[in-house]
Amino acid sequence: DIQMTQSPSSVSASVGDRVSITCRASQGIRSWLVWYQQKPGKAPKLLIYAASSLQSGVPSRFSGSGSGTDFTLTISSLQPEDLATYYCQQANSFPYTFGQGTKLEIK
Amino acid sequence: QVQLVESGGGVVQPGGSLRLSCAASGFTFNTYGMHWVRQAPGKGLEWVAFVRYDGSTKNYAYSVKGRFTISRDNSKNTLSLQLSSLRAEDTAVYYCAKDHDIGGYFDYWGQGVLVTVSS
C-alpha cells in the first residue's frame, strides 16, 4: 500500500493568515493527489484534485501544488469558515489511501 | 443536482451481517464508478471498496476483502455494500461517493450511515 503522511497533525492560525499543509506519499504517485475538507458532522468536500486543479465552486484562496511524493495545500488568507479537518488522498493505485488528517483551528 | 442517500445502517452483533444501500440521482449513474468510504468514530477516512461504472471491476481494502461485497444496479441507480463477518473495528460511518470525471477522486458524497458492531 502507498502510505500518505500529513503534517502537521493540527495547526492554529489567525484569520487572514497563510496556512500550508503538506502530504508525503511513500512512493511516487505522479499527480494523483486530492485534498478534501471535512467540517464537524459533515461529509468530506473535494477541494483540489490532480494535485493542483481547483474543484468548481471552491474559493480561489485554496491552492494545491506538488507532484511525485511531496504535495502542499495552501490557504492564502484564512477565513473563519475554513475551520475543518483536511485530508489528502492518493488515487494512483488501489487500495486508495488517505492521510491521517490535519485539524485546522482558528485562533 | 447530484444526490446520494445511504440507508441500512444500524446495530449488529459481532459476526453478523448488514446491507447498506445508496440511492443516486441527478447524474447518469451508469457512467460513473462508485465507492464506499468509512470513518470510525473520531478517526480519519478509510477507503473501503470501488465498483466500475458497468460493475465489471471491483476493488477492496485489505481490511474488508472476503467479508464485504460491493455491487450496483444500474437499472435502479443504486449502489450496495454487503457487510458480513462484522467485527467491532468495522464500526464507522459509511459514505457512498461518486467518482470524479477523471476517476479516483470523490466529487460527491452521501450524508453517511452509521454501522455499530457491538454485543
Side-chain angles (χ1 to χ4, degrees), chain A residues 4 53 67 76 80 92 101:
Chain A
M4 306 300 292
S53 296
S67 67
S76 61
N92 182 78

Side-chain angles (χ1 to χ4, degrees), chain A residues 1 32 36 38 43-44 50 89 91, chain B residues 39 45 59 62 104-106 109-110:
Chain A
D1 297 9
W32 288 99
Y36 300 98
Q38 187 178 33
Q89 174 232 321
Chain B
Q39 187 169 34
L45 300 167
N59 295 90
Y62 298 127
Y105 312 125
F106 317 139
W109 299 62

Side-chain angles (χ1 to χ4, degrees), chain A residues 1 31-34 36 38 41-46 49-51 55 87 89-91 94-100, chain B residues 35 37 39 43-47 49-50 59-62 95 99-100 102-112:
Chain A
D1 297 9
S31 293
W32 288 99
L33 190 283
V34 61
Y36 300 98
Q38 187 178 33
K42 300 293 187 182
K45 172 187 175 182
L46 191 155
Y49 65 94
Q55 175 71 353
Y87 294 92
Q89 174 232 321
Q90 66 83 16
F94 288 109
Y96 292 161
T97 45
F98 290 87
Q100 80 279 15
Chain B
H35 302 260
V37 178
Q39 187 169 34
K43 303 296 185 183
L45 300 167
E46 180 187 17
W47 173 81
F50 162 78
N59 295 90
Y60 298 92
Y62 298 127
Y95 296 100
D99 236 4
H100 189 273
I102 62 172
Y105 312 125
F106 317 139
D107 58 357
Y108 290 93
W109 299 62
Q111 83 285 356

Side-chain angles (χ1 to χ4, degrees), chain B:
Chain B
Q1 71 283 19
V2 173
Q3 279 199 312
L4 299 170
V5 180
E6 300 97 337
S7 60
V11 180
V12 59
Q13 291 188 339
S17 298
L18 207 59
R19 187 176 185 85
L20 306 182
S21 295
C22 172
S25 61
F27 65 103
T28 307
F29 182 72
N30 63 8
T31 62
Y32 287 94
M34 296 293 295
H35 302 260
W36 288 97
V37 178
R38 68 183 180 182
Q39 187 169 34
K43 303 296 185 183
L45 300 167
E46 180 187 17
W47 173 81
V48 172
F50 162 78
V51 60
R52 198 167 177 248
Y53 68 93
D54 58 358
S56 62
T57 299
K58 301 174 183 180
N59 295 90
Y60 298 92
Y62 298 127
S63 58
V64 307
K65 200 167 187 177
R67 301 188 300 121
F68 291 9
T69 302
I70 190 171
S71 62
R72 64 190 299 158
D73 185 339
N74 285 344
S75 69
K76 297 181 179 178
N77 287 0
T78 300
L79 175 72
S80 297
L81 186 68
Q82 178 69 42
L83 291 67
S84 303
S85 303
L86 282 162
R87 308 165 180 165
E89 55 266 34
D90 295 318
T91 294
V93 172
Y94 285 74
Y95 296 100
C96 66
K98 170 187 166 292
D99 236 4
H100 189 273
D101 284 349
I102 62 172
Y105 312 125
F106 317 139
D107 58 357
Y108 290 93
W109 299 62
Q111 83 285 356
V113 63
L114 178 62
V115 172
T116 303
V117 183
S118 173
S119 55

Side-chain angles (χ1 to χ4, degrees), chain A residues 54-98:
Chain A
L54 190 69
Q55 175 71 353
S56 175
V58 174
S60 59
R61 64 180 180 273
F62 291 93
S63 64
S65 64
S67 67
T69 60
D70 293 308
F71 302 87
T72 302
L73 172 71
T74 299
I75 307 173
S76 61
S77 179
L78 190 66
Q79 299 301 304
E81 60 267 31
D82 299 336
L83 165 72
T85 300
Y86 294 82
Y87 294 92
C88 62
Q89 174 232 321
Q90 66 83 16
N92 182 78
S93 59
F94 288 109
Y96 292 161
T97 45
F98 290 87

